[in-house]
Amino acid sequence: MGLFQKAVETYDAHRDYVGREIEGHQVLVPVSHILARPEIEITLEQDGSFSSARLWDKSEPKIFIPATEESGGRTSAPCPHPLCDQLCYLAPYDEKKHPLYVRQLTAWAESPYSHPMLASILAYVKGGTILSDLAAAGILTLDAGGKPAREKALVCWRVHGIGTPRDGCWQQPSLAQAFQDWYASLQPEDAQALCMITGAHVPPAKQHPKGIIPINGNAKLISANDQSGFTFRGRFTDETQAATVSYLASQKAHNALRWLAAEQGAQAVFGGRTFLCWNPQGVRVCHAAGPFGNRDLAVTKPSDYRAELKKTLEGYRSQLPARSGVVVAAFDAATTGRLSLTYYNELAGSDYLQRLYDWDRYCCWFGRSSQICAPPLWQIVNCAFGSQMTVKGQVRLKTDDRVLGQQMQRLVACRVDRAHMPYDIVQALFHRASSPQSWERGIWGVILSTACAVIQKYRHDVYKEECEMSVNEESRDRSYQFGRLLAVLEKVERDTYSDDEGREPNAIRLQSVYCRMPLKTAAQIEAQLEKAYFPRLQPGARSYYKMLIGQILDRIHTDTEQSRWNAPLKETYLMGYYLQRKDLYTKKRERSENNEEGN
């Protein structure tokens, strides 16, 4: 199945929500209706006389109004909505638009599918007093010619005594059904075609809705209005040869996608690309671009982290039925009028949850306060491709929107499709984390932690390696051991600094060179330590650090050919560096706490 089949399935599964107003949520729009934000609300009496009017507050939610295929996609050509419309259609001063509106509303009101509200609204519009009534109510001002300054202000209707106490035209399910029945009766019986979504022979859609993704405005997913040869590229003579979609299926699919985008899209937009993730039956699932576990939980031990992650997996599985599916899709607009589906996948619910679990299980590292968590996908992209800049007095990483959207989709695809971590991202993080002097200290800390998480995931994907996230003194990985050595060389010098010194040790300043020539650079740093810093340490600390340096070098010389001692390091040196440094600071903190207790 495809996107539109799943969207129709979603709409049908949520039919009880169609047209229902739920506070804090966008309404699921009925067929043959569109979402709109009115500017003016007019209240009428049942006889069609003016009662009151008010300006629609911007904080109030959008409402759904009846619309034809043509009016739903109208541009500059006059094409009235059936009921709620702009002042230029409702007021008689426009000799082109007003008659079209009156003629269409009259046809509906006089049909077998009429509704009590229509007679009241039609009588008022025909009276031609709408502008003077609104001006008298202080809603708008008129120029010398009697025209309103805001002629495109959308008007919605209330009629006292009909549908009380909810007398808004958008609050009447019977009115919405009446328009659906009337509009369906206008479709020619002989105009039927194969719907490639449902497989039925039914009236096809002539135009498809726009505005599915809020940030992409009028962009359409299905469009074939370009007759200059660009769209068809010589493959077809008309658009029906490419695809035919029924009117009903198109309405359901687009309304469902718009509803999903409104519910999730604001929280999952990266670089102008919108990521949606849902279960067609309405079971809430964690988002493919969001966190899987509870990142607010302070877990500092790898075993506890894995246990909590397992609990999260079992909790989600208990909520998602075994046969339920999950749909993941990404949308982006290359132009203002065309919306593209840039990623799509359907998975069984249990498989989807397992893949998110596996990602967070291996793509994790120590963060702030030594809390173990999986870095957010956007953080990985920012650390790998972002630029350092100051925003509102704070230094942050920011990635170009186009790059952010593309790279986020790559990572979502890796996470959902169980693909390998992209090596170019690993390399970008490796080089950035190896240049601490290029970044503000806090930013570099985030880059280093993120790099270690990504490297751990890559090593597991490719080599099935698993890091225990604690110092492995017996590791035969030369790069890992050189990373440990760098941490010790840094710690020796830092132990001689006072608390208020902000300068960086030689090990940090020479880290980028150290990656390329580790043994030679280590010898230079150690010579400086012997000359200026080892003498300033306590004898016990001096002996400990020298012993540790000797053990690491002995391991490197024993497990590595001499010709490779000074070869450039691989990315795993960052893991050895981080874990050894963390171990050294942890031991120092424990010693300090023990001394305080003894005193």
Side-chain angles (χ1 to χ4, degrees):
M1 299 182 75
L3 173 69
F4 280 90
Q5 286 92 338
K6 284 299 182 182
V8 171
E9 180 184 338
T10 302
Y11 190 92
D12 290 338
H14 294 80
R15 62 175 63 90
D16 292 341
Y17 289 90
V18 175
R20 282 179 54 191
E21 292 181 324
I22 302 176
E23 187 176 355
H25 297 273
Q26 182 169 293
V27 65
L28 180 56
V29 180
V31 171
S32 303
H33 290 70
I34 62 172
L35 272 180
R37 187 182 301 280
E39 294 185 44
I40 300 173
E41 177 187 282
I42 296 179
T43 303
L44 304 176
E45 302 297 340
Q46 291 190 49
D47 61 358
S49 60
F50 179 82
S51 175
S52 63
R54 73 177 183 92
L55 290 174
W56 192 270
D57 193 277
K58 292 182 179 180
S59 63
E60 297 182 74
K62 292 182 179 180
I63 64 173
F64 58 89
I65 62 173
T68 64
E69 280 188 276
E70 294 77 11
S71 71
R74 71 187 182 190
T75 52
S76 57
C79 185
H81 291 314
L83 189 62
C84 302
D85 215 327
Q86 299 170 348
L87 284 173
C88 55
Y89 284 92
L90 303 179
Y93 72 88
D94 194 312
E95 298 179 354
K96 290 184 178 180
K97 296 178 179 179
H98 181 68
L100 293 175
Y101 174 85
V102 173
R103 189 181 307 122
Q104 182 172 250
L105 183 57
T106 301
W108 180 16
E110 294 178 352
S111 72
Y113 309 100
S114 184
H115 187 274
M117 274 191 172
L118 301 182
S120 304
I121 296 171
L122 182 60
Y124 177 70
V125 172
K126 284 184 174 180
T129 62
I130 183 170
L131 294 182
S132 58
D133 291 338
L134 291 177
I139 300 299
L140 52 81
T141 57
L142 306 178
D143 60 17
K147 294 182 179 181
R150 294 181 297 163
E151 62 178 5
K152 291 188 176 182
L154 185 71
V155 176
C156 63
W157 307 98
R158 288 186 182 272
V159 180
H160 279 159
I162 299 179
T164 304
R166 298 169 62 84
D167 52 7
C169 63
W170 64 96
Q171 298 170 325
Q172 310 299 311
S174 57
L175 178 62
Q177 187 61 51
F179 177 72
Q180 291 176 3
D181 295 340
W182 175 67
Y183 193 59
S185 69
L186 301 180
Q187 306 302 318
E189 296 181 0
D190 57 342
Q192 295 191 349
L194 173 65
C195 175
M196 295 185 177
I197 294 178
T198 63
H201 280 80
V202 286
K206 298 186 287 291
Q207 293 187 36
H208 299 275
K210 60 183 178 180
I212 298 106
I213 305 299
I215 65 169
N216 296 126
N218 295 327
K220 287 187 175 184
L221 268 174
I222 303 178
S223 179
N225 60 357
D226 185 356
Q227 301 297 327
S228 63
F230 179 84
T231 300
F232 307 133
R233 295 275 183 153
R235 295 180 177 89
F236 310 105
T237 57
D238 64 79
E239 66 271 16
T240 59
Q241 296 174 352
T244 51
V245 180
S246 68
Y247 173 75
L248 183 61
S250 176
Q251 288 283 308
K252 287 184 176 181
H254 284 86
N255 288 347
L257 291 174
R258 184 185 295 111
W259 179 60
L260 290 167
E263 292 292 297
Q264 309 181 352
Q267 293 77 33
V269 178
F270 301 96
R273 194 164 299 199
T274 301
F275 296 83
L276 301 183
C277 181
W278 78 95
N279 167 259
Q281 284 69 46
V283 180
R284 185 172 293 277
V285 296
C286 48
H287 204 288
F292 180 72
N294 182 6
R295 290 197 171 118
D296 295 329
L297 192 63
V299 178
T300 59
K301 295 182 179 180
S303 57
D304 293 343
Y305 172 76
R306 290 191 289 268
E308 289 297 332
L309 209 60
K310 194 70 175 178
K311 290 180 183 178
T312 302
L313 176 63
E314 297 303 326
Y316 278 123
R317 279 178 172 171
S318 66
Q319 300 173 14
L320 191 64
R323 295 188 177 182
S324 294
V326 174
V327 181
V328 183
F331 302 87
D332 196 7
T335 68
T336 55
R338 300 291 184 269
L339 184 68
S340 60
L341 177 67
T342 57
Y343 176 81
Y344 182 78
N345 200 353
E346 299 174 22
L347 302 92
S350 57
D351 193 20
Y352 172 75
L353 294 175
Q354 184 65 45
R355 295 183 182 195
L356 297 192
Y357 167 82
D358 289 342
W359 177 279
D360 282 29
R361 166 72 174 78
Y362 297 107
C363 187
C364 62
W365 203 255
F366 298 99
R368 292 180 178 177
S369 302
S370 296
Q371 176 184 346
I372 301 175
C373 65
L377 301 188
W378 58 264
Q379 179 177 306
I380 296 176
V381 176
N382 277 343
C383 289
F385 303 102
S387 300
Q388 187 173 263
M389 57 182 61
T390 303
V391 180
K392 296 181 179 179
Q394 293 184 341
V395 181
R396 297 180 181 176
L397 288 171
K398 182 173 176 57
T399 306
D400 177 77
D401 281 349
R402 185 172 59 179
V403 175
L404 177 61
Q406 293 171 347
Q407 298 301 327
M408 277 295 298
Q409 181 168 310
R410 291 182 70 197
L411 291 179
V412 167
C414 288
R415 195 180 190 193
V416 175
D417 299 338
R418 198 172 273 160
H420 290 175
M421 176 69 73
Y423 189 59
D424 63 300
I425 293 180
V426 175
Q427 283 293 290
L429 289 168
F430 164 60
H431 290 301
R432 287 182 166 217
S434 300
S435 303
Q437 293 292 90
S438 301
W439 312 98
E440 191 270 337
R441 182 178 295 183
I443 295 295
W444 178 69
V446 175
I447 293 175
L448 176 61
S449 175
T450 304
C452 290
V454 169
I455 292 167
Q456 177 173 219
K457 179 69 169 60
Y458 175 79
R459 302 293 294 187
H460 176 269
D461 292 344
V462 178
Y463 305 107
K464 304 304 176 186
E465 295 179 358
E466 183 171 354
C467 178
E468 292 298 328
M469 298 178 68
S470 60
V471 178
N472 181 7
E473 297 180 355
E474 304 302 319
S475 174
R476 304 188 66 180
D477 182 347
R478 180 184 68 94
S479 297
Y480 183 93
Q481 293 293 349
F482 266 117
R484 291 184 59 209
L485 179 61
L486 181 66
V488 177
L489 297 176
E490 176 194 342
K491 186 65 166 57
V492 170
E493 187 170 343
R494 283 198 187 277
D495 279 1
T496 66
Y497 291 173
S498 60
D499 295 338
D500 58 346
E501 287 189 66
R503 59 195 179 99
E504 295 291 358
N506 290 310
I508 293 295
R509 295 203 298 268
L510 296 175
Q511 187 169 346
S512 59
V513 180
Y514 184 88
C515 296
R516 300 192 298 272
M517 298 179 293
L519 190 62
K520 181 179 178 181
T521 310
Q524 294 175 354
I525 297 174
E526 190 173 6
Q528 293 172 337
L529 294 179
E530 288 284 357
K531 179 180 180 181
Y533 299 102
F534 271 128
R536 298 167 61 183
L537 293 176
Q538 295 293 329
R542 184 165 56 248
S543 299
Y544 172 74
Y545 285 131
K546 286 189 174 183
M547 177 196 67
L548 193 55
I549 291 172
Q551 289 177 348
I552 295 173
L553 288 173
D554 183 62
R555 171 63 64 182
I556 293 172
H557 294 159
T558 301
D559 295 336
T560 310
E561 297 178 1
Q562 184 175 355
S563 61
R564 298 188 62 249
W565 285 352
N566 201 41
L569 299 179
K570 295 181 180 179
E571 62 274 356
T572 50
Y573 98 89
L574 289 172
M575 302 169 73
Y577 167 73
Y578 190 105
L579 294 174
Q580 182 64 68
R581 192 178 67 160
K582 181 178 184 298
D583 181 71
L584 291 172
Y585 278 100
T586 301
K587 289 180 178 179
K588 180 179 180 180
R589 185 165 55 251
E590 291 175 351
R591 289 196 302 268
S592 176
E593 292 173 354
N594 291 336
N595 290 336
E596 291 178 1
E597 292 177 0
N599 293 332

